[in-house]
Amino acid sequence: TSFLTFAPKYFVEQGFSDARAGMVASMWFWPAIAVIPLIGHFSDRFGHRELLIGVGLIAMAVLIPLVSPFFALIVVWMLILSVFQSFVPAPVYAAAHDLVKPAQLGIAYGVLNTLLNAGIFFGPWLTGVVRDATNSYQASFLVMSLFAAVGAISVFSCRKLRSQVS
């Protein structure tokens, strides 16, 4: 959400028209339309939900700060980011079924949606605070990268805790 909030303005500042900036920013979703259901199918069939989530988050943590240095390849970069961000949503929601009893699924999905909305609110706000304080898109990209890295650390920490409890 943070990336989609700031990317169009960043692209305009790099010389894109408003229309092209919006189109390139929307590429975040293009492959995702096909890839998210495939990842969901893969996670249902083979498991490894935490691994899929972690790989997607680590890839985003690495790739987002590299948008500026590789701006000449922005179309390719956006499509690659779309593929990797697609590793996260389906396994996150499917993991709820793995972690709670069926009678608790309503509250589990409620918690997931609450956390999603908190991220939608706080992520762009904190990224904007950093952007305003530093006048640097690169600093805001690093904050977005940090969000993804913290997510990956959380997923792998929870995975390790869950395996110790089992």
Side-chain angles (χ1 to χ4, degrees):
T1 302
S2 295
F3 189 84
L4 295 172
T5 300
F6 294 97
K9 186 176 177 187
Y10 171 72
F11 295 152
V12 167
E13 287 186 13
Q14 299 304 307
F16 286 11
S17 67
D18 287 339
R20 186 167 182 215
M23 183 197 66
V24 173
S26 76
M27 288 177 179
W28 184 269
F29 296 111
W30 293 7
I33 292 167
V35 176
I36 289 174
L38 291 173
I39 294 294
H41 174 73
F42 182 84
S43 78
D44 287 343
R45 187 170 171 109
F46 301 107
H48 307 292
R49 298 189 207 288
E50 294 97 345
L51 182 62
L52 290 167
I53 297 164
V55 166
L57 290 169
I58 289 168
M60 285 190 291
V62 169
L63 293 172
I64 289 173
L66 297 176
V67 166
S68 293
F70 291 96
F71 192 77
L73 302 170
I74 194 61
V75 169
V76 173
W77 215 254
M78 290 300 295
L79 296 174
I80 292 169
L81 274 167
S82 177
V83 168
F84 280 110
Q85 69 90 10
S86 299
F87 280 48
V88 179
V92 165
Y93 281 96
H97 184 269
D98 298 341
L99 298 172
V100 301
K101 296 174 185 162
Q104 299 169 324
L105 278 173
I107 190 71
Y109 290 125
V111 168
L112 281 174
N113 198 51
T114 299
L115 294 172
L116 171 66
N117 286 315
I120 289 169
F121 173 77
F122 287 110
W125 174 70
L126 288 171
T127 303
V129 167
V130 169
R131 165 74 175 100
D132 290 346
T134 63
N135 199 31
S136 165
Y137 278 103
Q138 191 60 36
S140 63
F141 291 152
L142 290 172
V143 169
M144 294 175 216
S145 176
L146 180 65
F147 292 155
V150 167
I153 290 166
S154 299
V155 166
F156 290 125
S157 296
C158 289
R159 182 180 187 190
K160 185 176 178 181
L161 285 172
R162 207 167 62 145
S163 69
Q164 289 174 349
V165 172
S166 298

